[in-house]
Amino acid sequence: IVAVLGLWAIWSEALPAFGVLREVTLWEQLVDVAGERRLVATTLADVLTAVIIGLVTLVAARRLPTLLAIVLLQRLDISPASLYTATTLSRYAIAGVGGVLAIGQIGIRWSQVQWLVPALGLGIGFGLQEIVANFVSGLIILFDRPIRVGDVVTVGDANGVVTRIHIRATTIRTWDRCELLVPNKEFITSRLLNWSLSDQITRIAIHVGVSYGSNVQEAMSLMSAAAVESRRILDEPRPFVTFDGFGDNALSLTLRCFVGRIDDRLDAINEL
């Protein structure tokens, strides 16, 4: 804003001279104005204005969502996932409005581009259905939120954390710090395991084999005590031990308990 005001102050006296750009006609076209067919010219000033609108839209699409995030964080108690959805949708809206204003400035009307609708339908039928499906799925993800940025998910044989949700694909950072790009359609049409959709409490199971002739009750008590003593294990739901069966070489026991965070799973299993 300061830069724009500064340029205006410096060049204000010279701005009327740019009116000569309206005298440079690039092309003319017939349009309906109040029911009459008139010849409307598109000038060099119109094209330059469209370029300026495009540049402003590009900057606004990058910067305004960040400003919106700051305002929302100051005014509302909003979750990071909701904040990401709001900023992403605002970025799409700014880009759409700016694009419409830019093409309208150079004289492109709906009547001139309506032929693109059947052409787009033909393109979708032949080869763009996957792109459109991923775009629509991305919108469904942003509104319905089956996954959110920061969620721990399992997709196929890959586990990781959702880091970005884009218009075509979602980025998942695996535990090996690799970034996996998954088409948005996969999250809508396929089975998805979200470890932290409603909360991060998950259950772990420790399988133990004790030899035949051992004191099973004492073994179960020791396993239960180990869970109670661990600071990573939740008191509620309470941990419990079950006898699962007679193995070939051992009696099978299982300790089942709960951790409050996904990040504690491996450490808790190792400690137990």
Side-chain angles (χ1 to χ4, degrees):
I1 293 175
V2 172
V4 170
L5 293 177
L7 289 175
W8 180 272
I10 294 172
W11 295 96
S12 58
E13 296 181 358
L15 289 178
F18 289 101
V20 69
L21 298 177
R22 295 193 175 278
E23 300 178 5
V24 181
T25 301
L26 298 180
W27 64 80
E28 296 179 337
Q29 55 187 342
L30 289 172
V31 297
D32 290 326
V33 179
E36 298 181 2
R37 299 283 290 178
R38 295 183 182 179
L39 195 63
V40 177
T42 299
T43 64
L44 181 58
D46 295 328
V47 174
L48 291 179
T49 303
V51 172
I52 293 174
I53 292 175
L55 293 176
V56 171
T57 300
L58 181 62
V59 174
R62 286 187 170 187
R63 304 302 181 188
L64 284 184
T66 304
L67 178 61
L68 175 63
I70 295 174
V71 173
L72 290 178
L73 284 174
Q74 289 178 341
R75 304 295 181 184
L76 301 174
D77 184 15
I78 187 171
S79 66
S82 300
L83 185 65
Y84 184 86
T85 299
T87 55
T88 302
L89 292 177
S90 65
R91 186 175 292 111
Y92 292 164
I94 292 171
V97 171
V100 171
L101 292 177
I103 63 176
Q105 187 65 34
I106 60 178
I108 298 178
R109 304 292 189 272
W110 168 249
S111 59
Q112 298 171 313
V113 296
Q114 59 184 357
W115 59 271
L116 288 175
V117 175
L120 182 61
L122 186 64
I124 292 173
F126 277 99
L128 298 178
Q129 65 267 30
E130 289 296 324
I131 297 177
V132 174
N134 287 324
F135 172 75
V136 174
S137 298
L139 294 179
I140 294 175
I141 290 173
L142 289 175
F143 280 105
D144 192 42
R145 295 194 296 172
I147 60 171
R148 302 155 302 185
V149 173
D151 281 353
V152 179
V153 298
T154 297
V155 181
D157 57 351
N159 301 298
V161 180
V162 177
T163 56
R164 289 188 296 272
I165 301 175
H166 286 273
I167 192 172
R168 187 193 67 84
T170 294
T171 303
I172 297 175
R173 180 178 289 117
T174 66
W175 305 132
D176 297 327
R177 306 291 293 180
C178 300
E179 292 190 324
L180 177 66
L181 296 178
V182 182
N184 291 328
K185 180 182 175 183
E186 296 293 326
F187 296 103
I188 303 300
T189 60
S190 302
R191 298 180 62 181
L192 168 69
L193 178 59
N194 191 332
W195 292 82
S196 54
L197 181 59
S198 57
D199 59 55
Q200 292 201 20
I201 297 178
T202 56
R203 191 178 75 174
I204 59 177
I206 307 296
H207 302 284
V208 177
V210 297
S211 61
Y212 280 91
S214 301
N215 188 330
V216 177
Q217 290 297 331
E218 183 179 359
M220 297 175 69
S221 298
L222 290 173
M223 294 169 64
S224 180
V228 171
E229 292 172 3
S230 175
R231 61 182 179 84
R232 302 180 189 274
I233 303 301
L234 298 179
D235 295 331
E236 291 292 338
R238 293 186 60 81
F240 61 96
V241 183
T242 59
F243 174 78
D244 292 339
F246 300 92
D248 293 337
N249 301 308
L251 302 172
S252 299
L253 307 178
T254 301
L255 167 64
R256 292 176 175 87
C257 48
F258 295 83
V259 292
R261 298 193 312 147
I262 299 296
D263 295 340
D264 289 339
R265 285 183 60 86
L266 291 180
D267 290 333
I269 290 173
N270 182 63
E271 288 178 0
L272 292 174

